[in-house]
Amino acid sequence: MWDVAEKLKALLVFAEHRYYGDSLPFGEDSFKDAKHLNFLTSEQALADFAELIRHLKRTVPGADGQPVIAIGGSYGGVLAAWFRMKYPHLVVGALAASAPIWQFEELTPCGVFMKIVTEDFRKSGTKCSESILRSWGAINRLSNTGSGLPWLTRTFHLCTSLNSEDIQRLKDWISETWVNLAMVNYPYPANFLKPLPSWPVKVVCQYLTNPYMSDSLLVQNIYQALNVYYNYSGESRCNNISETTIGTLGSRVWGYQTCTEIILPFCTNGIDDMFEPRAWDLEKYSDDCYKQWGVRPRPSWITTVYGGKEIHSHSNIIFSNGDLDPWSGGGVTEDLSDTLVAVNIPEGAHHLDLRSSTDTDPPSLQLARSVEVRHMKQWISDFYGNYRKQP
């Protein structure tokens, strides 16, 4: 974004989403209860951005009469696409990077996401995904032995002692770590979720080459692999199974959004993926949401308000996806029209194209960026052409 903004002589504006960071409508009380959280919706956030654009055009010298492009990655990419759909009079186009706009309801099979995670590990080392698949049974068996829980606590260097109710949480924490590694499998060292080496999944898989060793040895290797993610910098003292990322991503409020409108069905079967089988259970999901937030999800709302797969009447949106990114399974990966364009990056992980250019950028990434910029230039020249024609 920074490189391109400079090339196009653009002003780069980062809009903060309501209820995140400092944009709290009720100050300290914003997260108090469902009544205060009620104004946290994607529609309200898009309306905020619409207001912001109008405000900038009024107050920034030279901004009036200039085209605006929406750019975002991940949920931000979803918002960029939706913004162009809902406010086409305010933005001339959108770059929606790693934007899983089809991860909702039944638009995408619920198992696709974890299949892609598994594929990343399978390709990154012999027997890597197989070792992870076998590790769940090893953890289950060890947790059932007399000394198993204290041994697992020590082996995983956990901050608090495990009891038998924690085993599912431990496995969820490990699963989420593999997902995060797949998402940030970048070709150079980066610290998006945690400080990591280049191609971190390959580094992790060096520890997971033999699925057929004893349970205790396999689990020790799993710890070594996890350590690449949790302690690459060497500064971590112990692992907390309640968190998998740097705690600044607003994950608490995100939990509320995934309980109201951003319902993303996931499931695993342990055959096409390296995880324990788990079906998608909307009823249980709804009960958990009600317990935590006092709200129930509306699984059909997003497709009702943003159109699901019926988006062919829109224009000027680039959907970019990396094949290594598990979110690409719910993304738009084929052109829908001349102006609803898919850009696929075979060696790309989560919104790699939005990150700054480096000397190690794979050719497919350089090509993707040039295609994106070409479309942006077209949108801008179309805007000026139409702008001049106005009476």
Side-chain angles (χ1 to χ4, degrees):
M1 291 176 290
W2 286 270
D3 309 336
V4 175
E6 207 170 321
K7 268 186 214 147
L8 301 180
K9 298 187 169 55
L11 173 68
L12 200 52
V13 177
F14 287 84
E16 189 166 78
H17 192 299
R18 57 169 58 202
Y19 287 85
Y20 288 83
D22 297 323
S23 303
L24 305 176
F26 303 107
E28 305 256 304
D29 291 341
S30 299
F31 313 120
K32 201 163 114 182
D33 50 33
K35 203 170 88 192
H36 287 81
L37 279 160
N38 203 25
F39 299 94
L40 171 53
T41 67
S42 58
E43 299 101 301
Q44 293 278 1
L46 295 178
D48 289 340
F49 303 153
E51 288 281 359
L52 177 62
I53 289 173
R54 296 188 62 164
H55 169 76
L56 292 170
K57 290 204 163 194
R58 277 197 313 272
T59 55
V60 175
D64 196 27
Q66 297 297 329
V68 179
I69 294 173
I71 299 178
S74 202
Y75 171 50
V78 171
L79 290 173
W82 289 345
F83 194 60
R84 169 63 187 168
M85 293 175 193
K86 293 293 179 189
Y87 295 91
H89 56 294
L90 290 179
V91 286
V92 295
L95 168 55
S98 299
I101 64 163
W102 290 345
Q103 191 75 44
F104 300 93
E105 226 179 347
E106 280 142 23
L107 301 180
T108 299
C110 59
V112 165
F113 184 92
M114 290 306 213
K115 255 189 208 169
I116 298 172
V117 174
T118 303
E119 196 53 21
D120 287 356
F121 282 79
R122 196 185 63 71
K123 282 197 257 183
S124 294
T126 331
K127 307 283 186 201
C128 187
S129 58
E130 212 180 317
S131 300
I132 291 170
L133 180 62
R134 287 183 65 89
S135 72
W136 310 119
I139 291 169
N140 292 340
R141 287 186 291 274
L142 287 163
S143 68
N144 288 325
T145 62
S147 55
L149 293 170
W151 185 86
L152 286 167
T153 303
R154 283 196 310 276
T155 302
F156 285 117
H157 289 68
L158 302 181
C159 304
T160 50
S161 297
L162 288 171
N163 58 47
S164 51
E165 288 85 67
D166 294 330
I167 291 302
Q168 191 54 54
R169 256 186 48 227
L170 171 71
K171 290 187 293 184
D172 289 347
W173 172 74
I174 295 170
S175 294
E176 203 178 315
T177 307
W178 304 141
V179 168
N180 288 352
L181 277 158
M183 275 169 55
V184 296
N185 195 21
Y186 296 134
Y188 46 75
N191 61 353
F192 174 46
L193 298 177
K194 292 269 189 189
L196 290 171
S198 53
W199 298 119
V201 175
K202 271 197 178 123
V203 179
V204 158
C205 286
Q206 289 169 7
Y207 296 98
L208 303 173
T209 55
N210 179 3
Y212 302 109
M213 45 179 49
S214 70
D215 287 351
S216 55
L217 279 175
L218 180 57
V219 168
Q220 282 169 334
N221 284 352
I222 290 285
Y223 166 70
Q224 294 294 341
L226 290 168
N227 217 27
V228 172
Y229 183 82
Y230 287 105
N231 201 17
Y232 185 62
S233 63
E235 287 166 17
S236 167
R237 303 246 312 278
C238 64
N239 291 315
N240 175 359
I241 62 170
S242 303
E243 57 182 45
T244 58
T245 58
I246 296 165
T248 50
L249 292 179
S251 49
R252 181 162 153 246
V253 227
W254 179 245
Y256 172 84
Q257 280 191 271
T258 59
C259 273
T260 48
E261 53 172 5
I262 312 285
I263 319 303
L264 307 163
F266 296 118
C267 60
T268 49
N269 62 15
I271 298 160
D272 303 307
D273 54 62
M274 60 184 191
F275 300 93
E276 286 187 299
R278 190 183 282 189
W280 167 247
D281 183 345
L282 181 60
E283 206 173 308
K284 182 187 179 305
Y285 187 86
S286 176
D287 291 344
D288 290 346
C289 287
Y290 193 74
K291 217 184 300 180
Q292 192 178 358
W293 300 101
V295 294
R296 290 199 180 272
R298 300 162 75 191
S300 305
W301 179 241
I302 288 291
T303 45
T304 303
V305 82
Y306 299 114
K309 292 206 169 178
E310 307 305 316
I311 57 173
H312 297 75
S313 58
H314 299 293
S315 64
N316 292 9
I317 305 173
I318 304 164
F319 295 99
S320 65
N321 282 286
D323 291 359
L324 304 178
D325 180 17
W327 292 107
S328 65
V332 180
T333 51
E334 289 176 8
D335 292 1
L336 301 178
S337 71
D338 292 347
T339 62
L340 294 175
V341 182
V343 173
N344 298 320
I345 308 163
E347 302 107 321
H350 203 45
H351 51 58
L352 176 61
D353 48 332
L354 295 193
R355 300 176 64 85
S356 297
S357 329
T358 70
D359 299 338
T360 50
D361 288 347
S364 62
L365 173 60
Q366 295 170 20
L367 178 64
R369 288 200 179 115
S370 67
V371 169
E372 291 166 0
V373 173
R374 193 179 77 231
H375 281 284
M376 287 180 188
K377 285 179 171 166
Q378 187 63 52
W379 300 337
I380 293 165
S381 71
D382 288 351
F383 172 86
Y384 287 131
N386 294 332
Y387 195 71
R388 284 191 197 101
K389 283 180 208 154
Q390 285 174 8

